[in-house]
Amino acid sequence: MRIRLQERLAIEERLLQRHFGPGVRVQEPGRPDLRGVVGRLTSNGGTVYTFWMPLAAFPHQAPALYVVDPALVTPDGRALPECSHRMHTRDRNEHGHPQICHYHDAFWREDITLFKVVMKLRLWIEAYEAYRRTGKPISNYLGEMEESEP
Amino acid sequence: MSDRPTQTVPPTAFSLANALERIAREDAREEIYFDPRRGTLVARPANSGPPCDDALPATEMAREGFFGRVTEARW
């Protein structure tokens, strides 16, 4: 049975809030141009990260994912590079926030839940903090999706 | 009776970053869980089970990898 998108988003939001708390919510589910998930995640080190995940083409395409606060930086204080294999980042959006890689479009499936995407972001955040501490790139901590995966 | 001060032995530290590194190298000795009560990720030795009843397994998400095939023209 195929459920309507808004019903799915309500289920997704309940799942997200159950595990990540009330600070994660689906915004404007009825408006494709504004629809998205906004939320806050706290790292093991105690830093609060705010993210934005627009859902205009969800679930047909993997959603973009941005950390909007704090500004993501290298250990020496420069902006984290965009389009970086080693940092698992893609282009910046119009506000200057680099997109975080999670699922390759080729591996995206419509039944992947937003919970899994947010959990990947939570892992990425921990890898980012490890990168800030050690200087080792994020790809050292997070493997890469293999081309041979289904 | 010894007058040596009692040392607090920290619980065995399973470094999350080290666990992530090993998973990325496919040499994992730990499982990663998310503890929703604390909002923390926890690395536990393989087969030792979750840190609490409502902990969520996150190893699979780390193991399946992250999108890495991007152009680094601006790196």
Side-chain angles (χ1 to χ4, degrees), chain A residues 7-43:
Chain A
E7 292 170 8
R8 172 167 176 174
L9 291 176
I11 295 168
E12 297 267 8
E13 184 176 59
R14 282 200 297 276
L15 187 64
L16 288 167
Q17 292 188 340
R18 190 166 83 204
H19 299 309
F20 295 110
V24 179
R25 61 187 169 79
V26 175
Q27 173 179 289
E28 300 281 2
R31 297 186 55 181
D33 53 331
L34 298 176
R35 179 190 302 143
V37 177
V38 63
R40 290 187 298 276
L41 296 172
T42 305
S43 70

Side-chain angles (χ1 to χ4, degrees), chain A residues 24-124:
Chain A
V24 179
R25 61 187 169 79
V26 175
Q27 173 179 289
E28 300 281 2
R31 297 186 55 181
D33 53 331
L34 298 176
R35 179 190 302 143
V37 177
V38 63
R40 290 187 298 276
L41 296 172
T42 305
S43 70
N44 282 14
T47 302
V48 178
Y49 293 79
T50 304
F51 70 89
W52 165 239
M53 179 167 33
L55 297 176
F58 177 81
H60 312 299
Q61 293 175 16
L65 179 60
Y66 304 94
V67 171
V68 299
D69 187 74
L72 300 173
V73 293
T74 63
D76 60 1
R78 291 175 294 132
L80 196 71
E82 61 181 325
C83 299
S84 169
H85 175 100
R86 296 197 298 169
M87 296 300 146
H88 288 310
T89 58
R90 302 176 75 175
D91 287 356
R92 294 183 196 285
N93 66 5
E94 67 273 26
H95 303 293
H97 308 300
Q99 189 180 151
I100 309 301
C101 296
H102 48 90
Y103 284 92
H104 191 296
D105 292 342
F107 304 135
W108 178 255
R109 300 187 320 268
E110 293 190 3
D111 63 350
I112 293 175
T113 63
L114 296 176
F115 167 78
K116 289 187 74 174
V117 177
V118 174
M119 186 64 89
K120 279 204 171 192
L121 174 61
R122 184 64 185 77
L123 291 163
W124 187 94

